Structures are given as structure tokens and as C-alpha cells.
């Protein structure tokens, strides 16, 4: 016997959210659809691995992706800063949280105009300092998720960042 249930993409997203899952991938044809759902912690670890892989390929973190932006080191620090500030808003932000919280995002037609952002530091932290910051923030996020979930968080080293071999 076959049981068929029809769900819209919005239904699936709502079910995933209620189940503490995230949609990792979806495949659709005119007749069928299939979704791969991952536990939130697993999805977060995967995203950190992807970010680490990308940034490991950047040889010079002081280079700017385009002239009107911060150097690559900012973007590696921005990922954990954005996450911790959004996921744990009651937490008192550290100086690095603030430094990496928002980019310069200029109006390209007139680069002298851009939204407010923290002051650009005279010197950016070293790559090792930024990687340590990311590791610490990742661990704090995983610890908070574990407390929220009330159970063990699957950690396979991805919270360590690039220098830990993750």
C-alpha cells in the first residue's frame, strides 16, 4: 500500500523548522520531490567546514576582494560575529564581535557614501587571532545549542577552524 502526502516547499520548510532540522538540498521533477534534511547542528558544522575550505584557499588575507571592501580577514571574522550576535543577542559583545559585525558596504555609484559601520581598525588582527576568535565563537554557539536542545551536540572537530585541521 502506498500513502502519498503532498507538501508545498513552504510546508516542508515549516515541518523542518518544527523538527529542528534544516533543508540541506532539494530535488524536484514534475512528478516527485525529495528533500535532504539535516539536524541544525550538523548543518552549522557543514557550513563552517565550507567556509574554512574557502578561506584556506585565500593565500593573502590582507588582500581585498574588491577595492571598496574590507580585506578577506574581515569576512572570516564576520561569519562568527554575525552568527553570535544574531543567535545570542543577550550576550555582551566582545571587541572582536563589534569589529567584525558589519562591513563597509559602499554605494558603488558613489563610494564615499555607505551605511554606518564600526571604525576600520588601524591594523586587522592576525590570521591566527581571527581563527582563534572563530573557534571560540563556534564553541560558544555549539554549547548554547546543546543547552537549548538538552542533549549532546555532534561535534567532529569542525568547530576548530582551519588551524585545527578541520
Amino acid at each position: 500500500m502506498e500513502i502519498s502526502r503532498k507538501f508545498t516547499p513552504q510546508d516542508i520548510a515549516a515541518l523542518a523548522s518544527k523538527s529542528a532540522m534544516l533543508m540541506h538540498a532539494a530535488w524536484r521533477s514534475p512528478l516527485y520531490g525529495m528533500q535532504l534534511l539535516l539536524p541544525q547542528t550538523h548543518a552549522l558544522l557543514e557550513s563552517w567546514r565550507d567556509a574554512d575550505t574557502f578561506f584556506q584557499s585565500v593565500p593573502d588575507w590582507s588582500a581585498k576582494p574588491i577595492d571598496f571592501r574590507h580585506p578577506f580577514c574581515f569576512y572570516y571574522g564576520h561569519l562568527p560575529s554575525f552568527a553570535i550576535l544574531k543567535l545570542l543577542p543577550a550576550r555582551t559583545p566582545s571587541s572582536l564581535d563589534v569589529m567584525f559585525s558589519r562591513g563597509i558596504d559602499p554605494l558603488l555609484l558613489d563610494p564615499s557614501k555607505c551605511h554606518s559601520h564600526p571604525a576600520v581598525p588601524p591594523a586587522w588582527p592576525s590570521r591566527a587571532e581571527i581563527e582563534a576568535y572563530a573557534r571560540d565563537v563556534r564553541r560558544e554557539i555549539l554549547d548554547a545549542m546543546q543547552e537549548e536542545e538538552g542533549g549532546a551536540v555532534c561535534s567532529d572537530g569542525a568547530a576548530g577552524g582551519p588551524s585545527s585541521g578541520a
Side-chain angles (χ1 to χ4, degrees):
M1 175 168 62
E2 179 179 312
I3 298 174
S4 176
R5 293 187 174 87
K6 308 294 186 228
F7 295 101
T8 67
Q10 294 80 13
D11 292 335
I12 295 166
L15 286 168
S17 178
K18 287 178 184 176
S19 304
M21 305 285 272
L22 294 175
M23 189 174 317
H24 180 69
W27 301 270
R28 300 202 193 300
S29 76
L31 297 175
Y32 300 99
M34 183 169 55
Q35 293 73 38
L36 174 60
L37 302 178
L38 297 176
Q40 291 176 350
T41 302
H42 184 80
L44 192 54
L45 292 170
E46 287 284 317
S47 71
W48 290 340
R49 259 191 294 278
D50 291 345
D52 291 344
T53 298
F54 171 77
F55 281 97
Q56 285 172 356
S57 72
V58 176
D60 182 4
W61 276 22
S62 66
K64 294 181 178 184
I66 61 174
D67 286 340
F68 300 114
R69 299 285 185 176
H70 286 317
F72 280 103
C73 67
F74 165 80
Y75 296 97
Y76 191 76
H78 179 62
L79 297 172
S81 171
F82 185 84
I84 197 91
L85 293 171
K86 294 298 180 187
L87 294 173
L88 301 174
R91 174 183 164 276
T92 302
S94 72
S95 61
L96 290 177
D97 293 336
V98 173
M99 178 190 301
F100 292 119
S101 66
R102 194 152 187 203
I104 55 176
D105 203 19
L107 176 64
L108 290 180
L109 297 175
D110 182 358
S112 67
K113 296 179 181 175
C114 63
H115 67 270
S116 65
H117 57 83
V120 177
W124 291 96
S126 70
R127 185 173 184 148
E129 290 169 314
I130 298 169
E131 288 174 342
Y133 165 70
R135 265 192 311 278
D136 293 346
V137 167
R138 289 172 178 185
R139 176 52 44 210
E140 191 172 347
I141 290 170
L142 289 174
D143 289 347
M145 289 176 74
Q146 183 174 3
E147 286 177 26
E148 181 73 22
E149 293 169 358
V153 171
C154 167
S155 178
D156 55 7
S163 62
S164 71

